[in-house]
C-alpha cells in the first residue's frame, strides 16, 4: 500500500525541450482513473505492462496528441504504486498540455524526487540505492556511471546488510550474557570477541579508504595551477588542453580571475583552474582575484605548483621543503626547453622530498607524462571489481560506525563491563542503519530527495 494516501502525482520524466518523444509519469491510486479520463477508453483496455497506442484528450474533450500509454499496477512498478507512463511527441507544448489535463483530472504536480521517494518509502529500494539514482543521472563519465550503478544495483546495500548481520549476531550473544547466567548460555572468549569486531572493522575501513577516489570519480577532481607571475601557468593550461584557452602575456597580472576548464583524464572528470600569480596585489581588482584564487586552492585536490628557470635548483629545493600548501602538490618546472641536459639533471635531483616535473608549455615536452601522473594521483587505473564510496553522508555514517567499533574493541581489551560494550555495538549498528534508511530522520530524507530533478 502506498505511503502517500490518496495523492496521485504527475510530472515530465524526460528533459523539457525539442525531442522525438517525451515521457510523462503518473503514480498513485488514481492512475488508472486518469488513464480512462485522458483517453476516453474503458479500464479493461489498460492491460498490465502492455503498450497501448491511443489518442489523448484534454479536459474539454479536444484531442491533444496520439501517444503510447503503459500501465504498471502496484506493487510491480518503480514506485510500488499504480503507475502510468505516457510516451507522447516531444517539444514544449504537447507534454505541457498533457500534464495540464492530468492535473485537471485530479493529479497533483510532483515535487522534486517524489517518484523515487515513494519507491523508497514503499520498500522498492533502500535509501543508499535511491541516492545512487540521482548520482547515476548526473554522472559525467562512464567511470562515474559504473560506480553509481554498483550502488544503485544493491551491491553496496548487500554489503552493509552483511556487516549489520554480523554485528546483530555478535550483539545477540553479548546481550544473552548480560541477561542469563554463564551456565545457561555459552560465552565468547576475549579472542573471539576481538576477531568478530575486527572482521567488521576491516571491511568498514576498506570502504572508507575508497571515498576520496569515489568522490572524485562522481563529482570530479579539482586541480589548481599556482605559482609566481610569468612562470607559465596559463601556457601550461593551454598545453594540457592542446588549445589556446587562456590569454598569455609577459605582463605580470594578466590572469586576474581564475580560469576554470572541465577536462577528462582516464575517464576522471577534472576541473583545472588557472589562478592569478602569487604576488602583492597592485589594485583592488587584482586583490579580489587573488582572494578568489585562494578559495580554489583551499578546496583543491591537487596543486600544480609551477616554477621556471629563474628559480635555481637550490631555491626550488628550499621552496618544496618549506611548502606553504597543505594539499598534495606536484612541483612543475616550466620552460625546460631553455635548459641544458646538465641543468635539467640538477633540477630533477634538486629535491629529495618530491620529484620535479620538467615540462615545456612551448614545445609540449613532458606534458603527457604530467597528465598521466595527475590521473594516477586522483584515481586508480582500475575500479571494476571494487565498490567505491561516493556519498558524503555514507562516508560520515561509516566513519561513525568505525569509531564506535574501535571503542568496542578497546572495551573488550580493557575488560570494560559488557553493557558498555553492547552500547558501542548498538551505536555502530545505528550508523549502518542510517545508510540504508532504517533509522534516518524525515528531515534528512526530505533533504535528500529535494535535490532530485522533477520527474525522478
Amino acid at each position: 500500500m502506498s505511503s502517500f494516501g490518496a495523492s496521485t502525482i504527475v510530472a515530465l520524466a524526460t528533459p523539457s525541450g525539442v525531442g522525438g518523444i517525451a515521457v510523462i509519469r503518473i503514480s498513485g491510486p488514481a492512475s488508472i482513473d486518469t488513464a480512462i479520463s485522458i483517453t476516453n477508453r474503458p479500464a479493461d483496455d489498460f492491460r498490465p505492462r502492455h503498450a497501448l497506442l491511443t489518442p489523448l484528450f484534454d479536459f474539454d474533450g479536444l484531442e491533444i496528441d496520439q501517444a503510447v500509454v503503459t500501465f504498471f499496477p502496484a506493487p510491480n512498478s518503480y514506485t510500488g504504486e499504480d503507475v502510468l507512463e505516457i510516451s507522447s511527441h516531444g517539444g514544449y507544448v504537447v507534454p505541457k498540455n498533457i500534464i495540464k489535463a492530468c492535473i485537471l483530472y485530479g493529479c497533483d504536480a510532483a515535487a522534486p524526487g517524489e517518484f523515487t521517494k515513494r519507491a523508497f518509502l514503499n520498500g522498492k529500494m533502500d535509501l543508499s540505492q535511491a541516492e545512487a539514482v540521482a548520482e547515476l543521472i548526473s554522472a559525467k563519465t562512464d567511470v562515474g556511471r559504473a560506480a553509481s550503478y554498483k550502488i544503485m544495483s544493491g551491491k553496496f546495500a548487500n554489503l552493509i546488510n552483511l556487516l549489520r548481520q554480523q554485528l546483530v549476531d555478535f550483539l545477540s550473544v553479548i546481550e544473552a550474557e548480560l541477561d542469563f547466567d554463564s551456565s545457561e548460555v555459552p560465552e565468547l572468549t576475549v579472542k573471539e570477541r576481538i576477531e568478530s569486531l575486527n572482521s567488521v572493522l576491516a571491511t568498514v575501513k576498506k570502504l572508507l579508504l575508497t571515498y576520496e577516489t569515489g568522490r572524485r570519480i562522481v563529482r570530479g577532481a579539482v586541480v589548481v595551477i599556482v605559482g609566481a607571475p610569468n612562470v607559465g601557468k596559463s601556457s601550461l593550461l593551454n598545453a594540457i588542453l592542446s588549445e589556446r584557452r587562456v590569454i598569455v602575456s609577459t605582463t605580470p597580472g594578466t590572469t586576474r580571475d581564475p580560469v576554470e576548464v572541465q577536462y577528462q583524464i582516464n575517464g576522471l572528470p577534472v576541473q583545472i583552474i588557472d589562478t592569478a600569480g602569487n604576488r602583492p596585489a597592485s589594485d583592488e581588482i587584482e586583490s579580489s582575484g587573488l582572494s578568489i584564487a585562494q578559495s580554489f586552492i583551499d578546496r583543491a585536490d591537487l596543486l600544480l605548483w609551477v616554477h621556471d628557470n629563474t628559480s635555481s635548483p637550490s631555491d626550488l629545493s628550499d621552496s618544496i621543503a618549506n611548502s606553504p600548501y597543505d594539499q598534495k602538490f606536484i612541483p612543475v618546472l616550466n620552460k625546460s626547453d631553455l635548459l641544458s641536459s646538465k641543468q635539467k639533471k640538477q633540477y630533477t635531483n634538486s629535491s629529495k622530498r618530491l620529484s620535479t616535473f620538467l615540462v615545456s608549455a612551448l614545445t609540449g615536452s613532458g606534458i603527457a607524462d604530467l597528465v598521466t601522473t595527475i590521473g594516477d594521483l586522483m584515481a586508480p587505473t582500475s575500479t571494476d571489481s571494487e565498490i567505491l564510496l561516493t556519498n558524503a553522508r555514507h562516508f560520515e555514517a561509516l566513519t561513525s560506525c568505525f569509531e564506535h567499533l574501535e571503542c568496542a574493541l578497546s572495551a573488550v581489551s580493557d575488560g570494560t563491563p559488557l553493557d558498555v560494550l553492547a552500547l558501542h555495538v548498538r551505536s555502530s549498528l545505528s550508523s549502518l542503519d542510517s545508510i540504508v534508511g532504517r533509522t534516518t530522520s524525515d528531515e534528512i530524507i526530505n533533504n535528500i530527495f529535494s535535490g532530485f530533478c522533477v520527474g525522478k
Side-chain angles (χ1 to χ4, degrees):
M1 180 176 289
S2 169
S3 303
F4 291 82
S7 172
T8 298
I9 55 174
V10 61
L12 182 65
T14 49
S16 177
V18 177
I21 66 168
V23 177
I24 293 96
R25 177 180 283 163
I26 300 167
S27 180
S31 293
I32 198 68
D33 293 334
T34 305
I36 293 168
S37 298
I38 203 168
T39 63
N40 289 334
R41 303 178 77 105
D44 291 345
D45 283 0
F46 301 97
R47 291 187 295 159
R49 294 171 296 283
H50 280 70
L52 174 66
L53 180 65
T54 179
L56 304 180
F57 301 90
D58 66 15
F59 198 68
D60 296 321
L62 299 176
E63 190 168 335
I64 305 171
D65 190 24
Q66 191 172 59
V68 174
V69 178
T70 310
F71 176 54
F72 302 89
N76 300 314
S77 69
Y78 180 72
T79 63
E81 306 173 325
D82 284 351
V83 168
L84 196 73
E85 289 191 354
I86 300 173
S87 299
S88 71
H89 289 94
Y92 294 97
V93 179
V94 172
K96 177 182 176 182
N97 285 339
I98 293 172
I99 292 172
K100 179 181 177 181
C102 290
I103 291 174
L104 289 173
Y105 287 127
C107 294
D108 296 327
E114 190 168 356
F115 292 96
T116 305
K117 183 178 180 180
R118 291 186 177 207
F120 162 65
L121 293 176
N122 290 328
K124 301 298 291 186
M125 61 180 70
D126 65 45
L127 194 55
S128 69
Q129 291 174 289
E131 290 169 291
V133 169
E135 290 187 347
L136 182 66
I137 292 171
S138 61
K140 299 179 179 69
T141 66
D142 192 56
V143 178
R145 175 208 59 78
S148 298
Y149 184 74
K150 284 177 183 176
I151 297 176
M152 195 191 77
S153 67
K155 291 181 179 179
F156 177 58
N158 290 341
L159 180 56
I160 295 300
N161 286 326
L162 179 63
L163 295 174
R164 184 182 185 280
Q165 189 58 53
Q166 287 179 260
L167 290 179
V168 167
D169 292 342
F170 178 83
L171 187 60
S172 298
V173 176
I174 297 301
E175 292 188 336
E177 291 181 33
L178 283 167
D179 294 338
F180 299 97
D181 187 83
S182 59
S183 62
E184 299 178 285
V185 295
E187 293 185 357
L188 292 175
T189 65
V190 171
K191 181 181 178 182
E192 288 172 332
R193 291 173 185 173
I194 290 175
E195 287 177 349
S196 296
L197 292 173
N198 269 331
S199 174
V200 179
L201 196 64
T203 304
V204 173
K205 183 178 181 179
K206 184 178 178 181
L207 279 172
L208 288 171
L209 290 174
T210 69
Y211 176 63
E212 283 304 315
T213 296
R215 178 185 63 80
R216 291 170 189 152
I217 283 175
V218 171
R219 291 166 183 78
V222 178
V223 177
V224 178
I225 303 175
V226 297
N230 285 348
V231 293
K233 298 187 299 300
S234 298
S235 297
L236 177 63
L237 176 57
N238 288 336
I240 290 173
L241 301 176
S242 300
E243 59 179 292
R244 191 170 184 266
R245 291 289 295 272
V246 186
I247 297 173
V248 177
S249 170
T250 57
T251 304
T254 300
T255 302
R256 294 196 169 197
D257 293 327
V259 178
E260 303 174 53
V261 178
Q262 300 299 323
Y263 194 61
Q264 279 193 31
I265 302 176
N266 298 330
L268 173 73
V270 177
Q271 182 185 21
I272 305 179
I273 302 166
D274 177 27
T275 60
N278 186 14
R279 66 169 192 163
S282 60
D283 53 46
E284 185 177 345
I285 295 176
E286 189 173 1
S287 177
S288 177
L290 290 170
S291 177
I292 295 172
Q294 186 59 51
S295 70
F296 280 110
I297 291 171
D298 291 341
R299 66 181 181 88
D301 294 302
L302 178 68
L303 300 178
L304 301 183
W305 190 8
V306 185
H307 304 260
D308 65 8
N309 59 353
T310 60
S311 296
S312 67
S314 60
D315 288 341
L316 180 59
S317 177
D318 290 341
S319 294
I320 294 172
N322 301 290
S323 166
Y325 303 115
D326 295 329
Q327 300 96 321
K328 185 183 297 182
F329 66 86
I330 299 176
V332 180
L333 185 77
N334 192 22
K335 306 179 185 179
S336 65
D337 53 300
L338 302 176
L339 302 176
S340 66
S341 297
K342 181 179 180 180
Q343 288 173 315
K344 288 180 181 179
K345 188 174 182 179
Q346 289 175 332
Y347 278 108
T348 301
N349 299 327
S350 63
S351 173
K352 295 181 179 179
R353 178 183 170 190
L354 285 173
S355 297
T356 300
F357 268 84
L358 270 59
V359 304
S360 171
L362 179 64
T363 67
S365 172
I367 298 297
D369 289 340
L370 176 61
V371 170
T372 298
T373 299
I374 293 170
D376 291 344
L377 287 173
M378 293 295 95
T381 55
S382 175
T383 57
D384 291 341
S385 61
E386 188 176 31
I387 295 173
L388 294 176
L389 203 59
T390 62
N391 186 292
R393 192 182 70 83
H394 302 167
F395 176 76
E396 291 171 2
L398 282 171
T399 299
S400 174
C401 176
F402 184 86
E403 291 170 350
H404 285 297
L405 286 173
E406 284 195 317
C407 290
L409 269 175
S410 296
V412 172
S413 301
D414 297 343
T416 302
L418 285 182
D419 55 345
V420 177
L421 170 60
L423 179 62
H424 289 307
V425 176
R426 287 192 204 99
S427 296
S428 63
L429 260 175
S430 179
S431 297
L432 293 180
D433 285 345
S434 70
I435 293 174
V436 293
R438 288 174 179 262
T439 58
T440 309
S441 70
D442 289 343
E443 182 180 359
I444 292 175
I445 290 171
N446 291 334
N447 184 59
I448 288 170
F449 289 105
S450 67
F452 278 53
C453 58
V454 174
K456 196 60 181 175

